[in-house]
């Protein structure tokens, strides 16, 4: 229930200033402050406005505190968020790690990032934080599916009347609003003054150049980031300290498996190309390597892949190199031994719920055709995807094959077996795929198979993506075929 907008107590002093929100920034008036009083250093004179001082909206909390400390009377018109009276409709005892995470966030003055494995209950930490803070809140999620899940969760806990959505055809801003990163950065210059708390779900998405504006253009003094894998290959996760706050709490998969997450094991299985596949793979890889050496492209550099794409479009030799790269990749991903091993694993786990992960849609559809297995890709209609996931979780479908759309934010507690046939070198992607099978569901024990083709780039990719403590003691085996 809303209590209306609440102003901070006005501090009487030698002068009066006005703070307003303007298109993702703060404006400080009047331009001339009382003698002996300096504006906070985050403000800069804007010559377009006759020297009025402007600062990024993210500096609101610091700027307001600085002005009050200077003894100024602050007319705070930037603050458009409300104090709320929130009561949890389902008040359950949190797990110890959830209570610890909340306490750590509160101790950090309600700013910071909580790192917990998939399935460990990060969303409940957020629900408790929302209840504790009791301010207008925005939850930012990476996908429409996750946005819908958050809206359902908030409605269950706080009542449907308080919950709105922005994105996916919705434009309904309420006291508790859920949006996507795409919508947040587009609308924050307009709405950035309306929320006192922002929860960034899967916050590793935030540091991108565009998405970061969702944090920069908001005044929210309270911020919570949630992620299982906050690190980014580009190093921009370091900006989360500025955009949200410091990492205040972290627990790993190994810490929690067996009690709060399902017990699990990881098995890496190598298969081998046939002589014919090996010859064609090596021929195509040779063409590709010859081109990047001749073009002086260091593919491991940050811009290496972009340069290869650019150069391959400028000549016939480049086009041949691009097609050769695709073919050697296809051979490694869909070799006969890998498909044969998949048959064996599906038969071995015919009584279990299985998710098959690949790197590309072509392989997804090929497996779907061979095994009459439902496929989920970015092309799958929303209603069909929801039906498949519901049927899978209810046990009516024994297996699902997907590319990357199920990597994060999808609740699949029934899944016991994951089979990774291919993927990127991203540590995050691999940990997220492991996370899909780790939610506790009865007394299940989970297993993740990683199937790689020996003597191909998949071996190096596999080594890169396993640089995480969840894979400290992998099981390795060979499956010759």
């Amino acid at each position: 229930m809303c209590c209306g907008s609440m102003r901070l107590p006005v501090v009487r002093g030698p002068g009066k200033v006005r703070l307003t929100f303007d298109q993702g920034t703060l404006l400080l008036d009047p331009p001339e402050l009382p003698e002996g009083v300096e504006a906070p250093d985050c403000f800069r004179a804007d010559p377009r406005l006759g020297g009025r001082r402007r600062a990024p909206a993210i500096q609101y909390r610091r700027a307001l505190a600085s002005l009050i400390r200077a003894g100024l009377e602050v007319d705070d018109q930037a603050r458009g968020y409300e104090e709320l009276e929130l009561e949890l409709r389902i008040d359950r005892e949190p797990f110890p790690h959830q209570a610890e995470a909340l306490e750590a966030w509160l101790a950090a003055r309600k700013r910071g990032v909580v790192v917990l494995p998939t399935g460990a209950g990060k969303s409940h930490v957020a629900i408790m934080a929302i209840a504790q803070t009791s301010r207008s809140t925005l939850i930012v999620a990476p996908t429409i599916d996750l946005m819908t899940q958050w809206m359902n969760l908030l409605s269950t806990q706080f009542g449907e009347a308080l919950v709105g959505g922005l994105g996916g055809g919705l434009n309904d801003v309420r006291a508790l609003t859920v949006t996507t990163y795409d919508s947040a950065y587009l609308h924050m210059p307009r709405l950035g003054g309306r929320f006192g708390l922002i929860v960034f779900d899967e916050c590793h998405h935030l540091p991108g150049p565009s998405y970061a504006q969702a944090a920069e253009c908001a005044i929210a003094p309270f911020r919570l980031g949630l992620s299982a894998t906050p690190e980014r290959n580009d190093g921009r996760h370091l900006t989360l300290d500025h955009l949200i706050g410091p990492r205040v709490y972290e627990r790993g998969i190994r810490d929690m498996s067996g009690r709060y997450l399902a017990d699990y094991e990881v098995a890496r299985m190598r298969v081998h190309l046939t002589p014919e596949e090996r010859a064609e793979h090596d021929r195509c890889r040779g063409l590709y390597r010859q081109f990047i050496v001749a073009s002086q492209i260091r593919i491991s550099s940050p811009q290496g892949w972009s340069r290869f794409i650019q150069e391959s479009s400028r000549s016939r030799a480049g086009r041949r190199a691009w097609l050769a790269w695709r073919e050697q990749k296809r051979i490694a991903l869909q070799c006969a031994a890998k498909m044969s091993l998949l048959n064996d694993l599906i038969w071995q786990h015919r009584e279990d719920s299985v998710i098959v992960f690949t790197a590309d849609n072509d392989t997804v559809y090929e497996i779907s055709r061979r095994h009459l297995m439902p496929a989920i890709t970015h092309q799958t209609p929303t209603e069909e995807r929801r039906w498949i996931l519901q049927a899978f979780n209810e046990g009516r479908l024994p297996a699902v094959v997907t590319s990357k759309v199920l990597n994060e934010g999808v609740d699949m507690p029934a899944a016991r077996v994951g089979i990774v046939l291919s993927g990127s070198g991203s540590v995050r992607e691999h940990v997220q795929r492991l996370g899909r099978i780790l939610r506790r569901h009865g007394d299940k024990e989970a297993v993740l198979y990683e199937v790689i083709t020996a003597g191909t780039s998949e071996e190096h990719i596999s080594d890169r993506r396993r640089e995480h403590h969840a894979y400290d003691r992998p099981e390795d085996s060979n499956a010759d075929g």
Side-chain angles (χ1 to χ4, degrees):
M1 178 176 177
C2 301
C3 298
S5 181
M6 302 291 290
R7 299 293 181 192
L8 288 176
V10 172
V11 177
R12 304 294 172 184
K16 181 176 181 178
V17 294
R18 183 173 68 252
L19 201 59
T20 55
F21 177 80
D22 180 65
Q23 295 296 306
T25 68
L26 299 171
L27 288 178
L28 180 63
D29 291 302
E32 298 299 326
L33 296 180
E35 185 177 351
V37 177
E38 294 185 1
D41 59 11
C42 54
F43 283 93
R44 297 287 183 271
D46 189 340
R48 299 168 300 178
L49 299 176
R52 293 170 70 190
R53 292 179 176 85
R54 189 187 294 274
I58 195 174
Q59 298 293 342
Y60 167 78
R61 184 176 185 169
R62 186 164 72 92
L64 183 61
S66 180
L67 292 169
I68 291 175
R69 280 198 303 270
L72 294 171
E73 178 183 341
V74 181
D75 179 13
D76 183 6
Q77 296 186 10
R79 175 175 172 172
Y81 59 84
E82 300 172 325
E83 290 189 7
L84 309 172
E85 291 180 359
L86 296 176
E87 292 184 8
L88 292 173
R89 294 187 172 188
I90 303 174
D91 189 9
R92 68 171 178 82
E93 187 74 19
F95 291 125
H97 64 274
Q98 294 171 325
E100 291 167 5
L102 178 65
E103 286 302 317
W105 182 73
L106 294 173
R109 302 177 64 206
K110 301 180 183 179
R111 290 179 71 97
V113 176
V114 170
V115 181
L116 287 172
T118 299
K122 293 188 293 294
S123 59
H124 190 64
V125 175
I127 291 295
M128 293 190 295
I130 293 168
Q132 285 267 359
T133 305
S134 289
R135 299 292 191 276
S136 303
T137 299
L138 182 71
I139 294 92
V140 186
T143 65
I144 296 295
D145 279 350
L146 263 178
M147 175 181 156
T148 302
Q149 287 182 34
W150 271 108
M151 291 180 68
N152 292 337
L153 179 59
L154 292 171
S155 296
T156 299
Q157 288 286 9
F158 300 113
E160 197 171 321
L162 288 178
V163 180
L166 184 64
L170 296 176
N171 187 12
D172 182 18
V173 179
R174 302 192 190 185
L176 305 177
T177 299
V178 189
T179 189
T180 63
Y181 282 92
D182 286 320
S183 294
Y185 93 87
L186 290 173
H187 293 285
M188 204 63 83
R190 176 172 60 91
L191 301 175
R194 295 184 57 174
F195 303 101
L197 168 63
I198 302 181
V199 177
F200 294 100
D201 191 18
E202 308 290 356
C203 65
H204 46 268
H205 292 279
L206 183 63
S210 297
Y211 289 167
Q213 295 177 43
E216 292 276 4
C217 295
I219 70 168
F222 311 121
R223 298 168 183 233
L224 171 62
L226 304 172
S227 181
T229 51
E231 288 78 13
R232 293 168 55 105
N233 291 335
D234 59 8
R236 290 181 64 90
H237 56 275
L238 298 176
T239 65
L240 290 173
D241 279 13
H242 165 66
L243 298 173
I244 301 175
R247 191 176 302 190
V248 296
Y249 188 81
E250 181 170 10
R251 293 285 297 275
I253 290 175
R254 288 285 183 193
D255 302 330
M256 307 184 71
S257 65
R259 184 171 182 187
Y260 304 112
L261 299 176
D263 279 321
Y264 73 97
E265 61 178 287
V266 180
R268 177 159 53 178
M269 311 184 78
R270 290 177 173 85
V271 299
H272 297 271
L273 300 176
T274 65
E276 295 78 14
E277 289 171 334
R278 171 59 64 188
E280 183 62 11
H281 173 275
D282 292 351
R283 184 188 72 82
C284 291
R285 186 155 184 84
L287 285 174
Y288 156 71
R289 292 290 306 168
Q290 182 180 1
F291 178 78
I292 62 172
V293 170
S295 303
Q296 297 183 325
I297 298 171
R298 190 161 61 90
I299 207 72
S300 61
S301 69
Q303 302 302 321
W305 180 252
S306 298
R307 276 206 60 209
F308 172 59
I309 296 299
Q310 292 170 357
E311 295 297 328
S312 67
S313 66
R314 292 174 177 169
S315 66
R316 289 184 177 178
R319 178 64 176 168
R320 285 195 297 271
W322 164 249
L323 293 175
W325 177 87
R326 286 190 59 185
E327 181 61 11
Q328 58 96 28
K329 184 91 170 172
R330 185 198 66 78
I331 292 170
L333 297 184
Q334 299 183 22
C335 66
K338 189 175 281 191
M339 293 298 108
S340 176
L341 179 57
L342 176 62
N343 292 341
D344 294 343
L345 290 174
I346 290 173
W347 174 253
Q348 178 182 334
H349 292 284
R350 60 191 179 278
E351 301 298 328
D352 299 317
S353 296
V354 178
I355 309 176
V356 180
F357 296 99
T358 78
D360 65 302
N361 288 347
D362 286 346
T363 308
V364 169
Y365 295 133
E366 178 63 25
I367 293 169
S368 179
R369 282 191 293 268
R370 288 191 186 195
H371 297 278
L372 299 179
M373 187 183 297
I376 297 181
T377 70
H378 71 281
Q379 299 168 328
T380 307
T382 301
E383 287 304 314
E384 180 180 344
R385 176 163 54 180
R386 287 175 182 166
W387 185 91
I388 291 173
L389 291 175
Q390 181 178 351
F392 180 84
N393 282 326
E394 291 174 353
R396 291 183 286 123
L397 288 176
V400 172
V401 59
T402 185
S403 49
K404 298 185 177 184
V405 294
L406 298 186
N407 281 356
E408 70 181 4
V410 179
D411 194 10
M412 304 181 74
R416 180 183 174 272
V417 177
I419 303 174
V420 178
L421 287 188
S422 57
S424 70
S426 165
V427 173
R428 174 180 301 112
E429 178 182 86
H430 209 45
V431 172
Q432 287 172 333
R433 288 177 166 184
L434 174 59
R436 297 280 71 79
I437 63 174
L438 286 184
R439 289 191 186 274
R440 287 196 68 87
H441 189 68
D443 58 353
K444 79 174 184 183
E445 293 185 6
V447 58
L448 183 74
Y449 295 100
E450 183 190 7
V451 183
I452 60 174
T453 305
T456 70
S457 60
E458 283 198 328
E459 291 195 302
H460 173 61
I461 290 172
S462 172
D463 290 339
R464 280 171 49 205
R465 66 191 177 208
R466 295 170 68 91
E467 294 172 356
H468 190 274
H469 61 80
Y471 303 96
D472 285 343
R473 296 181 296 277
E475 299 285 341
D476 284 293
S477 64
N478 289 284
D480 294 326

